Amino acid sequence: MIRIEDIIETVESNRPESDVDLIRRAYLFSALHHRGQKRASGEPYLVHPLEVAHILAEMRLDEVSVSTGLLHDVVEDTLIDLDTIRSYFGDEITSLVDGLTKIAHISNLSKERQQAENVRKMVLAMITDVRVVLIKLADRLHNMRTMQFLKPEKRARISQETLDIYAPIAHRLGMGKIRSELEDLSFQNLYPEEYKRLAAEVDTRRPELEDALEKITHTIEEKLTENDVPFVKVQGRVKRLYSLWKKLKKQKITIDRVYDLIAARIITQNDKKNCYLALSVVHDIWTPVPERFKDWIAIPRDNLYQSLHTSVVGDRGHAFEVQIRTEEMHQIAEEGVAAHWKYKEKKLGKQEDDATLDELRKTVEKLLLPLVESTEETEDSEDFIESLKLDLYPKDVYAFTPLGKVIQLPRGATPVDFAYAIHSEVGDNCTGAKINGRIVQLKTEIQNGDVVEILTTSNSKPSRDWLNYVVTSRAKNRIRHWISAQQRAESIEIGRKLLEKELVKFSISPKKLLTNEVEMKRIAGEYGLGRPEDLLASIGYGKTFPRNVLAKHLGAEKFAALDPEKKKETTLRTGFKAVKKLIGLGEDAIVVKGVDNLMTTRGRCCNPLRGEPIIGYISLGKGIVIHNKNCKNVKSLMVNRDRIVDVEWAKSEKEEIQSVRILATTENRTGMLAGITNAIAEIKTGIRDAHAEVSKDDQGLIEVTVEVFDKKHLDRVISSIGNVPGVIDVERVNA
Ligand code: MN
């Protein structure tokens, strides 16, 4: 068992100015309150906080972190509360312990469905102080190392959580060493059989592999010395089991075909120039595999990782990877953000300490915040998990702005992602893109090294279509946010109009209620909604009926007395004619903006054309569906008369084109199709599609899809087709 004095010694040698007395007090407090508690192994519970504190001391963290390591389970597992911790140890340690206790609670709550929300909360709790992340990782690492005494189900659950959350976070923070250990331990506990099988497979090859590695590292050392390249050491390694397992599964290959089963690593002295020198030596010994070379020194990964990677073909035709980096880069590759602690100058005063912490906090925020932001506007937890995974495992692509700025994007990213990565406004106003000087479609996948130029127009807006091909959560969230804000604004407007209309029916002045903030709020409250706008939005979405709102406003008695439907009921006849009369275009008609406008859609049954008489039907959650007044479905929709609204076509600034199918019945003779398409072309109308066939009764059936602006335009098209000799009949067809 590790002793507290060993921990103190480590802290003192790393950070001579540390207040080790704090650590001693934390130890005594922890020992006192965990007294009598046992771990699953039967050991005293105190072993766990001691080991966690030891890991933290080895990471060279400050005395506050090490003390928190000792105290991290006290609130969770004993009767001590945060106030007591505060009275003994002050605010700083208390807030760290608080963060860790919260994470423990969230983790215990964890059910499949809440997973995404939990990850978000955990990340948020961790971001409040970087040290919370580091302490939590140390805590998890020790628990993973000592899992053998737990039941298999519990082991599996904790391992899965480690793979889903903690290993990715360690990776994100560049902490390669902890990440590897967490992954391998999770793999071992989650899939014990597969782990054993794979371990055995590697073990049978191990002597041969180690022999090969020995030769490789020896050759490299010799040549580096010969060429005066200042290096610290050359290491060889066999691929870790978890990453090997993942690779075998993903590529469905056998172990013999894994090219990086073994790899060598050159650690040079601290000047990146030495790395490139070493690289040239390596390429001199063996032939490099083209396209396997990666320069993470010139362009570091966003988790700060720097290294040169190259694959070369070895003596017997076996390829292997060589990684080259300086000592400092190596430390960062292994320890990530934690390595920052090591580069602190001499002895630090309190203030400087804070400055380092601050800088670290910024780095961690930069790395972890995207994980949280991506949930703020996303309610769908599956979406979130997906975007989380994308953000956690960046397979990066580097592209350039025309001015040479590097933009780092996940693989599969498109110009829209690129635009949003530059600035949200650039994204919102993006209308096109050039890649390497050529105009491309917005859904084009960006490749490494592409120069991407975004074309913008100041008044253009995001499109829902973009969601089909953007991959960054930043772009997704901005687009979704825009769409929902747009939908909301429109549904508030629609809701207001519907309510006004209903008020007029009841002979109440619309202004009187709509400007009565207090009453509107009261009614909204009855629906469990907060603000008057929420109530209007709900009406606009078709979730709340204006009649019911009025009933709540007036009270049952007054409502019944004023109800115009009651008065009409006796005289109203059912049937289409009566209804048609009832819904004649009124002055309060809602204006329908465009074809694919967000809150209005054209009914697929009748595909109403600009200029045709229309009515609107409020569908649940989908906004207003526009039907031709003569559509055969209108009659059945009339059953819900409350949902029928007057609508009219807006005057359009831009002419919009709509496709309409027309069927012409003709005599069966040659040249009919040409005659008809000529007639259409003559009046400068676009044809999207046309085909001809012969019917059973020997008539020609020609169907054309034309692009028209409005009803008038369509009428012209129909009459000019009708004028073609041989045409018997022309009609419009609907889906
Ligand atoms: Mn713990």
Side-chain angles (χ1 to χ4, degrees):
M1 177 166 142
I2 193 99
R3 295 173 320 132
I4 189 66
E5 289 310 318
D6 299 334
I7 295 171
I8 287 174
E9 211 171 276
T10 311
V11 172
E12 271 177 332
S13 79
N14 290 336
R15 302 157 71 91
E17 292 274 287
S18 299
D19 173 12
V20 292
D21 197 42
L22 180 70
I23 300 177
R24 277 203 185 86
R25 286 197 291 127
Y27 168 69
L28 290 174
F29 190 91
S30 182
L32 179 65
H33 293 287
H34 285 301
R35 187 187 43 193
Q37 294 180 341
K38 295 237 182 304
R39 303 198 82 210
S41 62
E43 291 174 300
Y45 192 86
L46 191 62
V47 171
H48 171 63
L50 269 172
E51 287 289 349
V52 171
H54 181 65
I55 294 171
L56 294 166
E58 298 264 283
M59 282 160 81
R60 302 189 182 219
L61 298 198
D62 60 352
E63 68 267 24
V64 171
S65 311
V66 175
S67 303
T68 307
L70 289 164
L71 297 168
H72 79 274
D73 275 333
V74 167
V75 172
E76 178 67 14
D77 292 338
T78 77
L79 296 172
I80 294 302
D81 61 12
L82 282 174
D83 286 336
T84 313
I85 299 273
R86 186 172 289 113
S87 66
Y88 280 88
F89 299 100
D91 287 337
E92 205 179 358
I93 287 185
T94 307
S95 84
L96 291 173
V97 172
D98 186 29
L100 289 154
T101 308
K102 275 186 191 135
I103 296 171
H105 282 176
I106 298 162
S107 174
N108 286 343
L109 281 176
S110 176
K111 287 178 207 145
E112 280 287 299
R113 283 179 53 228
Q114 295 171 334
Q115 188 85 343
E117 187 48 26
N118 290 340
V119 178
R120 189 173 94 89
K121 283 187 190 150
M122 283 194 207
V123 173
L124 277 177
M126 290 192 240
I127 282 176
T128 54
D129 192 316
V130 217
R131 290 172 294 185
V132 174
V133 192
L134 303 177
I135 298 165
K136 184 63 213 177
L137 287 172
D139 175 33
R140 179 52 58 114
L141 184 60
H142 183 246
N143 283 333
M144 292 296 300
R145 282 176 183 169
T146 52
M147 268 186 133
Q148 60 273 32
F149 301 101
L150 301 179
K151 288 201 180 103
E153 304 85 66
K154 196 167 180 193
R155 272 151 67 174
R157 184 182 66 74
I158 296 173
S159 299
Q160 188 65 59
E161 189 185 60
T162 303
L163 277 185
D164 285 347
I165 301 173
Y166 295 105
I169 285 174
H171 176 45
R172 189 78 181 165
L173 297 178
M175 304 168 79
K177 210 165 146 192
I178 288 191
R179 172 205 175 197
S180 311
E181 194 177 346
L182 287 176
E183 283 182 347
D184 280 349
L185 286 167
S186 302
F187 175 35
Q188 186 176 1
N189 283 289
L190 201 50
Y191 305 102
E193 292 306 315
E194 292 185 55
Y195 179 88
K196 261 185 237 157
R197 204 177 319 135
L198 191 60
E201 236 183 301
V202 172
D203 276 343
T204 52
R205 288 172 174 77
R206 201 172 290 276
E208 179 198 340
L209 293 173
E210 277 173 359
D211 193 42
L213 274 174
E214 170 76 43
K215 278 185 192 134
I216 289 167
T217 52
H218 185 74
T219 310
I220 294 176
E221 277 169 355
E222 219 172 56
K223 294 284 179 185
L224 287 175
T225 314
E226 216 172 88
N227 288 282
D228 293 327
V229 180
F231 71 97
V232 180
K233 60 184 163 192
V234 179
Q235 306 169 320
R237 65 123 180 91
V238 178
K239 198 174 179 66
R240 286 188 299 116
L241 289 179
Y242 179 69
S243 62
L244 176 59
W245 179 67
K246 261 200 334 197
K247 187 161 210 159
L248 294 178
K249 262 184 54 162
K250 194 175 159 217
Q251 304 188 352
K252 300 196 173 72
I253 52 176
T254 57
I255 198 166
D256 304 296
R257 300 201 35 219
V258 176
Y259 73 91
D260 58 351
L261 191 56
I262 55 171
R265 182 180 294 144
I266 304 172
I267 314 287
T268 73
Q269 285 181 20
N270 272 345
D271 184 343
K272 68 179 178 189
K273 150 182 124 216
N274 296 332
C275 297
Y276 294 99
L277 288 176
L279 179 74
S280 70
V281 170
V282 170
H283 285 180
D284 220 32
I285 314 173
W286 298 288
T287 311
V289 181
E291 286 162 20
R292 281 264 167 78
F293 171 67
K294 288 195 193 90
D295 188 346
W296 300 113
I297 291 180
I299 305 175
R301 281 184 177 155
D302 66 354
N303 65 10
L304 315 174
Y305 180 86
Q306 285 187 295
S307 195
L308 299 177
H309 291 189
T310 185
S311 288
V312 293
V313 183
D315 294 339
R316 272 166 296 162
H318 292 305
F320 59 91
E321 192 178 68
V322 183
Q323 302 178 349
I324 306 167
R325 53 203 187 216
T326 66
E327 232 182 332
E328 193 176 327
M329 291 170 192
H330 182 57
Q331 202 132 48
I332 288 173
E334 299 261 285
E335 296 166 27
V337 290
H340 282 262
W341 297 99
K342 297 200 174 177
Y343 292 100
K344 294 207 287 187
E345 302 277 311
K346 293 185 243 161
K347 297 164 186 178
L348 290 169
K350 203 79 201 138
Q351 261 180 334
E352 272 173 281
D353 231 352
D354 283 348
T356 319
L357 251 186
D358 229 41
E359 191 190 307
L360 232 115
R361 181 177 299 129
K362 276 186 202 137
T363 315
V364 172
E365 271 184 15
K366 206 182 101 206
L367 293 170
L368 290 184
L369 262 185
L371 309 183
V372 179
E373 277 173 351
S374 56
T375 61
E376 269 168 10
E377 288 146 4
T378 314
E379 275 162 28
D380 195 328
S381 69
E382 256 177 55
D383 270 9
F384 167 65
I385 286 279
E386 211 169 273
S387 59
L388 177 73
K389 283 190 175 149
L390 246 172
D391 279 335
L392 286 173
Y393 295 106
K395 293 264 186 318
D396 306 325
V397 166
Y398 297 89
F400 301 89
T401 67
L403 293 175
K405 192 180 167 220
V406 180
I407 302 286
Q408 184 179 8
L409 296 163
R411 201 161 286 283
T414 62
V416 179
D417 291 298
F418 186 92
Y420 277 107
I422 296 175
H423 196 280
S424 10
E425 231 165 80
V426 176
D428 286 349
N429 296 335
C430 162
T431 52
K434 283 183 185 175
I435 290 182
N436 305 326
R438 296 174 69 177
I439 297 261
V440 295
Q441 287 189 308
L442 283 177
K443 63 178 178 199
T444 310
E445 199 175 300
I446 293 174
Q447 304 298 323
N448 244 335
D450 278 350
V451 177
V452 183
E453 185 183 346
I454 299 298
L455 311 172
T456 59
T457 313
S458 62
N459 57 2
S460 85
K461 299 281 184 285
S463 152
R464 186 186 280 271
D465 275 358
W466 292 357
L467 286 175
N468 296 326
Y469 47 77
V470 296
V471 300
T472 52
S473 34
R474 185 186 163 89
K476 273 187 196 156
N477 292 326
R478 281 291 307 188
I479 299 164
R480 286 205 190 105
H481 179 68
W482 190 86
I483 291 173
S484 70
Q486 184 78 1
Q487 276 182 337
R488 186 175 156 81
E490 285 181 19
S491 52
I492 289 175
E493 208 35 51
I494 291 171
R496 185 190 309 279
K497 288 198 171 137
L498 291 174
L499 187 56
E500 276 175 7
K501 188 180 151 188
E502 198 66 23
L503 284 160
V504 169
K505 272 200 222 157
F506 278 72
S507 312
I508 301 170
S509 148
K511 259 197 184 154
K512 223 173 142 191
L513 176 60
L514 284 162
T515 56
N516 185 345
E517 188 78 16
V518 177
E519 173 64 0
M520 286 292 287
K521 224 172 164 171
R522 186 193 65 80
I523 302 174
E526 286 203 29
Y527 285 100
L529 299 165
R531 292 170 300 165
E533 298 90 79
D534 300 331
L535 178 63
L536 294 176
S538 172
I539 298 173
Y541 272 122
K543 284 181 197 153
T544 304
F545 293 119
R547 259 177 79 81
N548 300 346
V549 172
L550 245 64
K552 291 203 192 298
H553 172 52
L554 297 168
E557 218 169 289
K558 213 170 162 196
F559 178 80
L562 290 172
D563 190 355
E565 302 295 326
K566 276 265 161 58
K567 292 178 207 156
K568 243 186 251 173
E569 234 160 44
T570 45
T571 53
L572 186 79
R573 280 174 297 135
T574 47
F576 192 56
K577 264 190 185 162
V579 166
K580 206 173 163 189
K581 200 173 160 199
L582 185 76
I583 60 161
L585 276 183
E587 283 176 2
D588 53 352
I590 287 166
V591 168
V592 177
K593 284 186 205 132
V595 189
D596 292 309
N597 194 281
L598 293 170
M599 284 307 293
T600 55
T601 45
R602 285 185 159 106
R604 291 176 75 184
C605 43
C606 55
N607 192 22
L609 191 56
R610 172 170 287 284
E612 286 182 328
I614 43 173
I615 63 153
Y617 179 78
I618 306 170
S619 70
L620 265 180
K622 282 184 191 166
I624 300 181
V625 180
I626 307 302
H627 292 271
N628 187 315
K629 274 192 179 173
N630 300 313
C631 172
K632 58 184 188 308
N633 290 335
V634 166
K635 201 172 165 185
S636 58
L637 295 178
M638 286 301 160
V639 176
N640 297 316
R641 217 167 37 222
D642 268 338
R643 297 211 185 165
I644 300 288
V645 283
D646 290 347
V647 288
E648 65 188 30
W649 297 103
K651 289 190 180 65
S652 69
E653 293 144 31
K654 232 177 8 183
E655 283 179 323
E656 330 152 351
I657 288 172
Q658 192 183 344
S659 300
V660 173
R661 277 158 65 204
I662 296 173
L663 182 68
T665 312
T666 68
E667 292 166 14
N668 184 11
R669 53 164 143 143
T670 54
M672 282 312 304
L673 182 60
I676 286 174
T677 52
N678 278 341
I680 297 170
E682 232 158 68
I683 53 169
K684 309 252 179 298
T685 300
I687 299 175
R688 225 178 229 181
D689 184 39
H691 65 264
E693 57 184 80
V694 178
S695 73
K696 278 183 213 135
D697 42 1
D698 203 33
Q699 286 183 325
L701 292 177
I702 294 176
E703 196 184 282
V704 283
T705 305
V706 294
E707 295 177 323
V708 295
F709 300 120
D710 58 9
K711 174 87 167 70
K712 252 163 98 185
H713 188 180
L714 177 67
D715 290 344
R716 273 190 67 199
V717 174
I718 289 179
S719 82
S720 43
I721 297 174
N723 288 336
V724 175
V727 171
I728 301 166
D729 185 38
V730 192
E731 59 176 348
R732 177 181 173 194
V733 282
N734 286 317

